[in-house]
Amino acid sequence: MGSTSSPSLPFCKLDFRFSYSRSRRKQAATSPPLISFHGSLTTQFSIFFTIPKISRLDSSGYLAKSYTNVQCSEGSAQLKSSNLQVKSRMWNWRGYSIRYQCCGDSGPALVLIHGFGANSDHWRKNISVLGNVHRVYSIDLIGYGYSDKPNPRDFGDSSFYTFETWATQLNEFCLDVVKDQAFFICNSIGGLVGLQAAVMEPKICKGIVLLNISLRLLHTKKQPQYGRPLIKSFQSLLRNTAVGKLFYRSVATPQSVRSILCQCYYDTSQVTEELVQIIVLPGLEPGAADVFLEFICYSEGPLPEELLPQVKCPVLIAWGDKDPWEPIELGRTYSNFEPVEDFVVLSDVGHCPQDEAPHLVNPLVESFVARHSSAKAAVPSESL
């Protein structure tokens, strides 16, 4: 949901449409990121970016618009209904309790990875539908959702909430629980987690779908030289003083969360009470504030453009063009990397397409997985 560079509590959802073209199209970004700060520390703090357009899969009859302005026709794709049961389970990872959900008992394995401030429930509109022909898993990254939230200060000077930590968690989840290779379906910072995991253990990941991946615009390498001291001071204020906890309490409310979601969802009718509660309730658990403040002060680690050249599996990028946090014009440059087979513009969609427009995302995922799946059965974890 939210970007790594945004202290907004939830990962937001956006409605998007997509189309797929087998020919790779490249286009450079034409506009710089826009960063604006709204509200005060006691009300809300948001960082906004804009995003490019994406298209939809013609070959499977799905509707979409391409950033190349290629004409696409409306297909006959229908949103699948499913009565499959979604099971919620706990996994012991290195002594920590990790919540995950699963659905489906056959077909390729998919692992759904949420964004900043979100959890596996943010994929509630995708799990059972994709579970018709896949084994689907949705995991709460450590520190989020209903997984354990160890205090980052317990690790001394070492950072715990990093993409390396989450990537290790993801890979070991595939070995211990999935017991097979898997496709990673990722939103926002979940995209960094998926890419990092694929770089660390190439044999595990069969392919990656990136939905509005975080550009990490407040990363140290992307901050203007003159702005770095100001940003660093602000992060220190949040992390090391009572101001941070006051700030967190102001955003960890249903009213603030609804406001933030309405900023990043283009179709605000999708910002329901159910969604607000999905984001708010885990954020009220002990330790959630420390995790939140720790991560918004994390301006190091990998960037998408550093990880993509190292990935060995196929990558499909889809982007909601109405995302106010991650500019599509900047994200479009990722289509230039060799592993990226296409860049799909999701028209009139925000930052979290999987929740705002599941009828578009689910077929896109199914088509990508079908193209890159083999008929190979599950393999023992030790052979991965």
Side-chain angles (χ1 to χ4, degrees), residues 17-50:
R17 300 179 179 178
F18 56 85
S19 76
Y20 175 79
S21 166
R22 293 189 181 280
S23 62
R24 189 178 298 169
R25 298 182 175 92
K26 315 293 184 184
Q27 182 168 342
T30 57
S31 55
L34 302 176
I35 303 179
S36 46
F37 301 83
H38 296 262
S40 66
L41 289 181
T42 57
T43 54
Q44 97 186 35
F45 174 80
S46 303
I47 298 177
F48 294 94
F49 308 110
T50 54

Side-chain angles (χ1 to χ4, degrees), residues 144-174:
Y144 293 107
Y146 296 98
S147 289
D148 280 350
K149 301 169 180 61
N151 192 321
R153 298 182 185 278
D154 292 343
F155 299 89
D157 295 332
S158 300
S159 297
F160 179 73
Y161 293 103
T162 66
F163 293 110
E164 290 78 9
T165 296
W166 289 316
T168 300
Q169 176 191 348
L170 177 58
N171 283 330
E172 294 186 7
F173 178 78
C174 291

Side-chain angles (χ1 to χ4, degrees), residues 307-374:
L307 293 173
L308 277 167
Q310 304 177 61
V311 172
K312 305 302 180 185
C313 63
V315 176
L316 177 65
I317 300 177
W319 215 290
D321 67 348
K322 295 299 189 295
D323 187 336
W325 292 345
E326 311 290 354
I328 189 168
E329 294 304 324
L330 296 179
R332 190 175 277 139
T333 61
Y334 293 159
S335 64
N336 294 317
F337 290 101
E338 187 61 31
V340 180
E341 64 179 34
D342 205 358
F343 185 96
V344 179
V345 175
L346 307 173
S347 181
D348 293 334
V349 175
H351 183 65
C352 305
Q354 78 278 9
D355 186 51
E356 189 177 353
H359 57 293
L360 298 178
V361 171
N362 292 335
L364 180 64
V365 170
E366 290 174 344
S367 179
F368 175 78
V369 172
R371 288 197 304 276
H372 298 290
S373 293
S374 65

Side-chain angles (χ1 to χ4, degrees), residues 253-329:
T253 67
Q255 296 79 10
S256 292
V257 167
R258 173 176 287 279
S259 175
I260 294 168
L261 288 168
C262 286
Q263 292 166 2
C264 69
Y265 275 56
Y266 184 69
D267 179 5
T268 57
S269 70
Q270 298 300 315
V271 181
T272 62
E273 283 305 313
E274 178 191 26
L275 175 62
V276 171
Q277 292 303 309
I278 282 173
I279 301 301
V280 170
L281 292 181
L284 300 178
E285 291 207 329
D290 292 314
V291 176
F292 174 86
L293 294 171
E294 183 74 11
F295 190 69
I296 63 175
C297 297
Y298 178 47
S299 295
E300 299 179 353
L303 293 167
E305 54 266 38
E306 296 171 340
L307 293 173
L308 277 167
Q310 304 177 61
V311 172
K312 305 302 180 185
C313 63
V315 176
L316 177 65
I317 300 177
W319 215 290
D321 67 348
K322 295 299 189 295
D323 187 336
W325 292 345
E326 311 290 354
I328 189 168
E329 294 304 324

Side-chain angles (χ1 to χ4, degrees), residues 44-252:
Q44 97 186 35
F45 174 80
S46 303
I47 298 177
F48 294 94
F49 308 110
T50 54
I51 295 184
K53 289 187 176 181
I54 305 180
S55 338
R56 195 184 162 179
L57 244 149
D58 298 337
S59 58
S60 299
Y62 310 134
L63 172 65
K65 292 182 180 179
S66 168
Y67 65 83
T68 55
N69 295 322
V70 175
Q71 293 295 321
C72 299
S73 59
E74 179 134 15
S76 57
Q78 298 179 349
L79 181 63
K80 295 181 182 178
S81 60
S82 173
N83 294 319
L84 294 178
Q85 180 183 5
V86 177
K87 302 174 183 178
S88 183
R89 295 175 176 170
M90 302 305 291
W91 167 53
N92 186 307
W93 177 59
R94 301 191 177 193
Y96 298 112
S97 182
I98 303 297
R99 195 267 295 243
Y100 71 94
Q101 300 181 65
C102 56
C103 184
D105 55 11
S106 63
L110 314 182
V111 182
L112 315 182
I113 309 161
H114 63 79
F116 176 53
N119 57 79
S120 60
D121 290 328
H122 208 204
W123 299 93
R124 69 199 185 284
K125 299 177 183 178
N126 318 101
I127 300 175
S128 62
V129 175
L130 295 173
N132 280 297
V133 290
H134 307 88
R135 289 171 292 134
V136 184
Y137 303 83
S138 179
I139 190 170
D140 287 2
L141 297 175
I142 191 166
Y144 293 107
Y146 296 98
S147 289
D148 280 350
K149 301 169 180 61
N151 192 321
R153 298 182 185 278
D154 292 343
F155 299 89
D157 295 332
S158 300
S159 297
F160 179 73
Y161 293 103
T162 66
F163 293 110
E164 290 78 9
T165 296
W166 289 316
T168 300
Q169 176 191 348
L170 177 58
N171 283 330
E172 294 186 7
F173 178 78
C174 291
L175 295 174
D176 296 347
V177 178
V178 180
K179 299 185 184 301
D180 198 357
Q181 296 173 306
F183 290 88
F184 298 158
I185 316 301
C186 319
N187 176 227
S188 194
I189 68 159
L192 275 296
V193 176
L195 290 175
Q196 181 69 62
V199 169
M200 292 170 63
E201 297 289 347
K203 293 182 179 179
I204 292 178
C205 184
K206 296 190 69 175
I208 305 175
V209 175
L210 301 175
L211 303 172
N212 289 57
I213 185 173
S214 170
L215 297 165
R216 304 206 66 203
L217 294 177
L218 286 188
H219 192 284
T220 303
K221 294 179 180 178
K222 295 187 176 182
Q223 296 172 13
Q225 190 70 34
Y226 61 84
R228 293 178 186 176
L230 176 62
I231 294 174
K232 187 174 182 179
S233 296
F234 181 73
Q235 290 175 327
S236 178
L237 179 71
L238 291 179
R239 187 179 186 274
N240 300 315
T241 74
V243 172
K245 293 294 177 67
L246 289 172
F247 167 54
Y248 184 79
R249 283 199 291 270
S250 74
V251 297

